[in-house]
């Protein structure tokens, strides 16, 4: 099983600042099947990025994903008030067990 | 429009069994696996297992082996997850999801005496 480790656990930033979230895998993620989600309290996870770097439908271009192999990054170029939430990375594949990172909380400084 | 609509909240006693459903619309049910994900209060996301609606193949996370059963009914385009021997620590929101972009709204299962 691939273990995903996210860092930092909490990121305290102000609106307008840049956020950089890290996700490290215990082994190489097949074909970059790596996704990023945003989750707000009481809501289902919302897909932001799939395939490590492709933005999902309707996701603003201030969100970007990069990386390959075992090291992946989610960048939010300029934080908007609605971006303060918890972010999860996930590795997936058609028939593979999904695994998730433990989450990074982006909070208002 | 793809939609996954889950059944309502459940309250169960320890040791009981709960069965929750996930009705799919907007795409061919057999085209994609249905995954189930657990989220305990204030915690992260944990994969429970998957079912292939096309042939019924199932895979479960080791943590839930022996207590979980997933099924998929092609005639109603509905997936079900049954969890038996409920424990207090099973209290959580359970999500169904397909591919990575479509998730149900979640079903809260509360285990309480």
């Amino acid at each position: 099983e691939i273990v995903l480790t996210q860092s930092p656990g909490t990121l305290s930033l102000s609106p307008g600042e840049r956020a950089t979230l890290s996700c490290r895998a215990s082994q190489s993620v097949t074909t970059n099947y790596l996704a990023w989600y945003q989750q707000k309290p009481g809501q289902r996870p919302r897909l932001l990025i799939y395939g490590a770097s492709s933005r999902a439908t309707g996701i603003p271009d201030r969100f970007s994903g990069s990386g390959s192999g075992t090291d992946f990054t989610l960048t939010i170029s300029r934080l908007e008030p609605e971006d303060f939430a918890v972010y999860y990375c996930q590795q997936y594949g058609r028939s593979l067990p999904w695994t998730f990172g433990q989450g990074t909380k982006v909070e208002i400084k | 429009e793809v939609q996954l609509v889950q059944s309502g909240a459940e309250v169960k006693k320890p040791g009981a069994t709960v069965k929750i459903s996930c009705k799919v619309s907007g795409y061919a049910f057999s085209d994609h696996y249905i995954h189930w994900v657990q989220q305990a209060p204030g915690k992260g996301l944990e994969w429970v297992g998957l079912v292939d609606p096309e042939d019924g193949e199932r895979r479960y996370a080791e943590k839930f082996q022996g207590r979980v059963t997933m099924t998929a009914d092609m005639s109603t385009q509905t997936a079900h997850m049954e969890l038996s021997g409920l424990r207090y620590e099973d209290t959580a929101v359970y999500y169904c999801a397909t591919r990575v972009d479509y998730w149900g709204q979640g079903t809260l299962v509360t285990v309480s005496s």
Side-chain angles (χ1 to χ4, degrees):
Chain A
E1 175 182 304
I2 296 178
V3 177
L4 300 178
T5 303
Q6 292 186 239
S7 61
T10 301
L11 203 48
S12 298
L13 295 167
S14 300
E17 289 194 292
R18 181 184 189 90
T20 303
L21 288 67
S22 173
C23 176
R24 179 160 291 177
S26 60
Q27 56 187 282
S28 186
V29 176
T30 306
T31 325
N32 287 341
Y33 281 156
L34 192 287
W36 290 92
Y37 294 90
Q38 176 193 71
Q39 189 179 34
K40 297 179 181 179
Q43 296 185 16
R44 72 193 81 182
R46 174 194 182 198
L47 179 68
L48 301 174
I49 301 289
Y50 65 95
S53 60
S54 297
R55 263 188 306 276
T57 303
I59 301 303
D61 61 8
R62 64 180 181 273
F63 292 92
S64 63
S66 63
S68 63
T70 60
D71 287 290
F72 300 89
T73 301
L74 174 70
T75 302
I76 310 171
S77 59
R78 293 172 312 279
L79 282 165
E80 297 288 340
E82 62 267 27
D83 298 336
F84 292 92
V86 179
Y87 292 82
Y88 295 96
C89 61
Q90 176 211 31
Q91 69 85 27
Y92 63 95
R94 177 170 163 77
S95 64
L96 291 173
W98 289 357
T99 54
F100 296 91
Q102 78 279 21
T104 290
K105 182 179 182 180
V106 178
E107 64 175 24
I108 300 176
K109 186 173 181 180
Chain B
E1 179 192 7
V2 174
Q3 286 193 312
L4 281 68
V5 179
Q6 298 183 226
S7 50
E10 302 266 9
V11 180
K12 295 291 185 182
K13 294 191 185 305
T17 296
V18 69
K19 187 172 184 177
I20 58 182
S21 67
C22 172
K23 184 167 178 58
V24 167
S25 61
Y27 74 92
F29 189 47
S30 60
D31 279 358
H32 302 290
Y33 291 11
I34 297 290
H35 295 257
W36 291 89
V37 175
Q38 179 195 61
Q39 187 169 38
K43 302 296 184 182
L45 303 167
E46 184 168 10
W47 184 78
V48 180
L50 66 82
V51 60
D52 182 350
E54 186 170 46
D55 62 9
E57 175 196 357
R58 310 158 199 184
R59 295 189 64 181
Y60 303 138
E62 190 173 333
K63 173 181 175 180
F64 298 96
Q65 284 275 5
R67 292 202 301 133
V68 68
T69 303
M70 295 177 184
T71 57
D73 184 340
M74 290 282 290
S75 67
T76 60
Q77 300 219 134
T78 302
H80 298 271
M81 184 187 77
E82 185 174 272
L83 189 60
S84 62
L86 286 169
R87 309 161 182 168
Y88 294 114
E89 55 266 34
D90 293 323
T91 294
V93 174
Y94 292 84
Y95 294 99
C96 61
T98 189
R99 306 194 318 187
V100 288
D101 43 353
Y102 297 114
W103 290 60
Q105 82 276 19
T107 296
L108 175 62
V109 174
T110 302
V111 183
S112 173
S113 56

